[in-house]
Amino acid sequence: MSLSIGIAGLPNVGKSTLFNALTDAEALAANYPFATIEPNTGIVPIPDERLAKLAEIYKTDKIVPATVTFVDIAGLVEGASRGEGLGNQFLSHIRGCNAICQVVRAFEDSEVTRSGSKDAAHDIEIINTELALADIVTVNNRLPRLEKELKSDPKLKPVYETVAKAKELLEAGQNLRELDQEHLADLHLLSAKPVIYVFNVDEHTLADEPKKQRLKSLAKGDCIFICAKLESELRGLDEADRTELLASYGQKQSGLVQLIHSAYDTLGLQSYLTAGEKEVRAWTILKGSTAPQAAGVIHTDFQRGFIAAQVVDYEDLITAGSEAAARAAGKVRTEGKDYIMRPGDVVEFRFNV
């Protein structure tokens, strides 16, 4: 499955600067509202040091990491749902994303205009309100149509009731996460998506735990702290220099790695690996996926004709030094249709179609 994250926030909070740093792209990052008109999209390989080690074992030059797609939209302003600024037309670009990364300004810089931004709490409230108001429009458009369809198809009653409940919760400013998401899936409601709050802080705040705890208390979901300015400085550096620069600010991981880990945790994802002479590759799946479901991520034929999975744990394979040695040590096993995949699995699927 693919992982996509929509980047939202008020103007001038550092969205495009962060997008550029995460994707190593050159999106316009300017000090005025609505610098981003068309959505910027970047597909980024997910860092995974295991792949290079597997490539050495299997003697292949082809490494295919899992990827994440970032979509950066224009800054929202208060009243966007009523057409203020450029309106909420840009929200359609992130309706198909798995999660929303809400960038919140938590730095002070007199040279960067605060366009509608007052403080972190106020900014979060604005964005959440605008997302909810946009969803109310979507729900209001759907309910009359559902009501008509319900008259000829009584089986739609649960769907109608869920959408009606979603409207009630949205108008009350409440969470949609506990509703039956299958009944809401085709609406792509923004308020139903997991949110990762990214506080864009200055270099000093990275080490200011009390301030970070105060900011964390404002988030209604997972949150991370990134200095977009620092992330920009990391661009173009080799791994050793990146590590050294991060360490000088007390950081162990780049913003990209932090955001990907947060997204995996928030969305309940994990990866597994395939390896051979042709290529080594990482695949993204839901936690709890069975072996046939994991095989289906490669190709639906693999799932439909699944016979078995040959599995070896990554650490066991590295310790053994080769697949043959791992097999000789009894570390390679055959798993069936009920096997639940683990993050360290290196797998070869057997199938027949």
Side-chain angles (χ1 to χ4, degrees), residues 48 54 65-66 75 129 155 159 166 191 226 230 235 257 287 297 331:
D48 191 337
L54 287 176
T129 298
K155 293 181 180 179
V159 178
S191 304
I226 294 177
L230 171 60
R235 295 173 63 186
V257 172
K287 289 180 181 177
V297 172
K331 298 298 183 179

Side-chain angles (χ1 to χ4, degrees), residues 29 150 172-173 185 221 242 244 267 269-270:
L150 183 59
R242 287 167 63 90
E244 183 179 348
L267 296 168
L269 302 176
Q270 67 182 47

